[in-house]
Amino acid sequence: MTLGERIQKHRKELGITQSELAKKIDISHTQMARYEIKDVQPPANVLKKLADLFGTSIDYLVCGDADEKIMDSVQDASIIKEFKKIAELPIEEKNTLLKVISAYLRDYKAKQAYLS
């Protein structure tokens, strides 16, 4: 998700228009549209106003959160969803699943090396 998409998401969560958001942080509607649609980087003072209004951090607006970064780096979101479920399990079950996954990956790599 881009900075513009994060701004738009939070704006919509507040139930306000681009014009209303622009007024709240004292910029023009045109400039607000550039931030959202063209993903233009706002100056630090505007980022601060947006972060304060949205109840988040400048870092989150610019970079996203850890889950978002993971999702961006892993194309198969279903894997992330399953690992989140695994993270909620008791430690013994987590360790068992990690052993199974490690064994499967080891066997897969060995099979691929043999076929090459």
Side-chain angles (χ1 to χ4, degrees):
M1 186 179 282
T2 66
L3 168 64
E5 291 167 335
R6 280 188 285 281
I7 292 170
Q8 185 177 63
K9 174 184 166 264
H10 284 284
R11 176 181 59 76
K12 288 181 177 180
E13 286 173 358
L14 289 175
I16 58 177
T17 66
Q18 281 183 348
S19 293
E20 291 168 331
L21 178 56
K23 285 178 187 174
K24 285 182 181 288
I25 61 170
D26 198 30
I27 63 171
S28 72
H29 173 257
T30 304
Q31 195 59 39
M32 176 60 21
R34 286 185 189 122
Y35 298 150
E36 279 191 22
I37 298 165
K38 295 186 179 183
D39 208 30
V40 172
Q41 179 76 37
N45 66 320
V46 172
L47 284 171
K48 172 84 171 97
K49 289 176 184 180
L50 288 167
D52 290 347
L53 182 67
F54 297 149
T56 189
S57 68
I58 294 172
D59 181 59
Y60 166 76
L61 287 176
V62 175
C63 301
D65 61 16
D67 286 346
E68 194 175 309
K69 290 174 187 174
I70 291 169
M71 294 297 261
D72 287 345
S73 67
V74 177
Q75 293 181 356
D76 191 346
S78 63
I79 293 172
I80 299 299
K81 289 178 184 175
E82 294 304 314
F83 274 103
K84 284 183 176 184
K85 292 176 189 174
I86 291 170
E88 296 171 358
L89 294 173
I91 191 72
E92 298 84 21
E93 282 75 12
K94 280 188 220 179
N95 288 337
T96 300
L97 282 170
L98 289 175
K99 287 177 186 176
V100 170
I101 292 167
S102 294
Y104 179 84
L105 293 172
R106 181 196 64 230
D107 293 350
Y108 178 81
K109 287 179 183 179
K111 182 179 174 184
Q112 293 303 307
Y114 177 76
L115 294 174
S116 297

